[in-house]
Amino acid sequence: MEEKTLKKYIILWLSQSVSGLGSSMTGFALVLWAYGRSQSAMSVSMMSFCNYVPYVILSLFVGSFIDRHSKKTIMLVSDSIAALGSLAVMAFWLGGHLAVWNIYIINAVIGITNAFQQPASAVATGCLVPKEKISNVSGMNSFSNNLIVVFSPMLAAFLYAAGGLPLILLIDLASFTFAFCVLLLFISLRPPYRHLRFPAPCCPRRFSTGSWEREYFHRSALKKS
């Protein structure tokens, strides 16, 4: 039984890692687009601000809600709302109306969904992973998160040059669809849940930007000055 649940977690981990890569590439592509549009490091930094502030604030209060509701449903709904953000960006871009402030609003909504999705994902990990495999799971999560941080900017820059923002958004939506179907069809989470805390099997979703963004624009600001 434990072997079966571990295999399910590996499937979940792979699908969420693919989705996380698509999300991270979208985040970097939006950084490139916003900076090219505004030529302002401050306006781009506000993208991260709008994403993380709702996430941090809501994270203080959502624990009891997550405990009372289906973790799988929370993950599916949160990811779906986040994917709608990608669709909204695509719609604004195709209509020629995409502006930096649109991304601020979408990032704020996605920050709210992350506050629900990440704790639910952590509990789901506790449901699927046997105690003796905890160290293996921690290594897997660290590996996938670091791989995404390292390779997503390179892939995003290459694809942005090849096909622009729409290409990366399409890849992001395809990766979301893959992860959504895997979670919906192949992963079952049944109580009782183990009251253990694990890192979630993916990085925060959708448009969140990391240390590479701060470093990139810090260097840009230094060059300008």
Side-chain angles (χ1 to χ4, degrees):
M1 187 65 175
E2 289 187 348
E3 181 95 10
K4 187 176 181 181
T5 57
L6 181 61
K7 288 181 180 179
K8 284 186 177 181
Y9 176 76
I10 293 174
I11 294 172
L12 177 65
W13 170 74
L14 286 172
S15 64
Q16 293 293 311
S17 296
V18 170
S19 182
L21 179 62
S23 301
S24 186
M25 287 195 301
T26 297
F28 190 79
L30 287 173
V31 166
L32 296 178
W33 180 89
Y35 190 69
R37 183 72 174 265
S38 66
Q39 296 296 311
S40 169
M42 177 59 71
S43 66
V44 174
S45 298
M46 286 294 295
M47 292 168 59
S48 292
F49 180 83
C50 292
N51 183 272
Y52 283 116
V53 168
Y55 172 79
V56 170
I57 294 174
L58 274 179
S59 294
L60 301 174
F61 308 104
V62 299
S64 59
F65 176 88
I66 292 170
D67 286 340
R68 293 194 305 267
H69 295 82
S70 166
K71 293 15 171 212
K72 180 175 177 177
T73 301
I74 291 172
M75 292 171 66
L76 290 171
V77 172
S78 297
D79 289 350
S80 298
I81 294 173
L84 289 175
S86 293
L87 284 173
V89 172
M90 176 75 81
F92 282 128
W93 190 90
L94 291 174
H97 303 300
L98 183 61
V100 176
W101 68 266
N102 299 141
I103 301 174
Y104 294 164
I105 296 174
I106 294 171
N107 268 12
V109 173
I110 290 168
I112 294 172
T113 66
N114 284 341
F116 290 89
Q117 196 270 353
Q118 290 298 303
S121 183
V123 175
T125 303
C127 292
L128 298 172
V129 178
K131 289 182 180 180
E132 62 273 13
K133 299 294 184 180
I134 292 174
S135 59
N136 302 74
V137 167
S138 179
M140 290 165 58
N141 292 337
S142 178
F143 172 77
S144 61
N145 289 340
N146 290 329
L147 206 63
I148 288 171
V149 169
V150 170
F151 284 103
S152 61
M154 292 190 298
L155 289 173
F158 174 78
L159 293 171
Y160 190 84
L165 184 60
L167 175 60
I168 296 177
L169 289 171
L170 287 173
I171 294 173
D172 185 16
L173 290 169
S175 69
F176 155 77
T177 303
F178 170 65
F180 183 91
C181 290
V182 167
L183 178 58
L184 178 65
L185 301 175
F186 299 104
I187 306 298
S188 58
L189 303 173
R190 295 186 178 90
Y193 296 100
R194 298 176 189 168
H195 297 289
L196 299 172
R197 294 193 176 273
F198 295 86
C202 62
C203 57
R205 296 183 58 78
R206 311 282 161 190
F207 307 173
S208 60
T209 50
S211 59
W212 48 263
E213 176 200 324
R214 293 190 294 271
E215 180 67 16
Y216 178 85
F217 285 102
H218 174 66
R219 291 180 180 178
S220 299
L222 289 177
K223 286 180 181 179
K224 284 193 171 186
S225 60

